Amino acid sequence: MRPYLILTPPGGPAPDHRSTLVIKDGFSWAGFFLSWIWLFWQKLWLAGVIVLALQIVSGVLMQMPALMPVGVALGLALSLLVGLESRNYLSDALVRRGWTLEAVIFAQDRETAEEIYFSGLPTAPSSPLPDSSNWAGRAVDSRGGSPGLNLGLFDYGGR
């Protein structure tokens, strides 16, 4: 089972909850292979700039024969760190921007996590139906005729 973070936008979720985010908390292969690109894509600018600078330093170190193992280790450690913590960086950044962490749900997949979360929300109260005794009095002929009971698809003018 994997943890999923449920985040709602600033000002609360939309009535249909389309703006609610469900983020899988776990390893990100995109964060591992494309570290600074993934961070920039998620608008994590400061972390992206730091990772890009450290990857440049790693590349420079790999060019020096004596420091090549250090450069490789730095690059691999940096990619591993971003892969492991990228979803955490994203959720923390969203919370700083005003999003609310509503729940952490453990589920097999995203769809199951959504089902668990949305099934626990209160349902909107339904509006009461009008009293059936007043329906006949409210019926009006669509051509502006006298009120009466209109049944079926067509009105035959009271015939």
Side-chain angles (χ1 to χ4, degrees):
M1 305 236 321
R2 298 179 184 109
Y4 288 87
L5 307 174
I6 311 294
L7 294 137
T8 55
D16 59 357
H17 285 277
R18 288 188 189 267
S19 58
T20 301
L21 288 179
V22 178
I23 301 173
K24 181 180 88 168
D25 189 23
F27 190 80
S28 170
W29 287 103
F32 178 76
F33 287 113
L34 307 168
S35 300
W36 61 271
I37 296 170
W38 188 90
L39 291 168
F40 284 154
W41 185 264
Q42 299 297 329
K43 298 179 182 150
L44 301 170
W45 308 114
L46 181 60
V49 168
I50 292 169
V51 168
L52 177 60
L54 288 174
Q55 282 188 340
I56 290 172
V57 168
S58 171
V60 169
L61 290 175
M62 280 192 267
Q63 298 300 320
M64 299 176 194
L67 296 176
M68 184 177 153
V70 174
V72 171
L74 176 64
L76 184 62
L78 190 61
S79 293
L80 190 60
L81 178 68
V82 173
L84 288 170
E85 293 296 324
S86 58
R87 307 275 170 94
N88 189 27
Y89 297 154
L90 177 60
S91 64
D92 287 347
L94 289 172
V95 168
R96 282 192 306 271
R97 292 178 195 154
W99 289 70
T100 304
L101 179 62
E102 291 291 327
V104 177
I105 296 176
F106 290 87
Q108 294 293 334
D109 56 8
R110 180 186 169 123
E111 291 78 25
T112 307
E114 289 174 349
E115 267 185 51
I116 292 169
Y117 175 71
F118 291 122
S119 67
L121 293 178
T123 59
S126 60
S127 59
L129 295 174
D131 186 21
S132 62
S133 63
N134 294 337
W135 287 3
R138 292 184 182 181
V140 177
D141 186 6
S142 62
R143 294 180 303 240
S146 64
L149 182 60
N150 296 326
L151 298 175
L153 295 174
F154 304 103
D155 181 27
Y156 296 105
R159 293 182 244 164

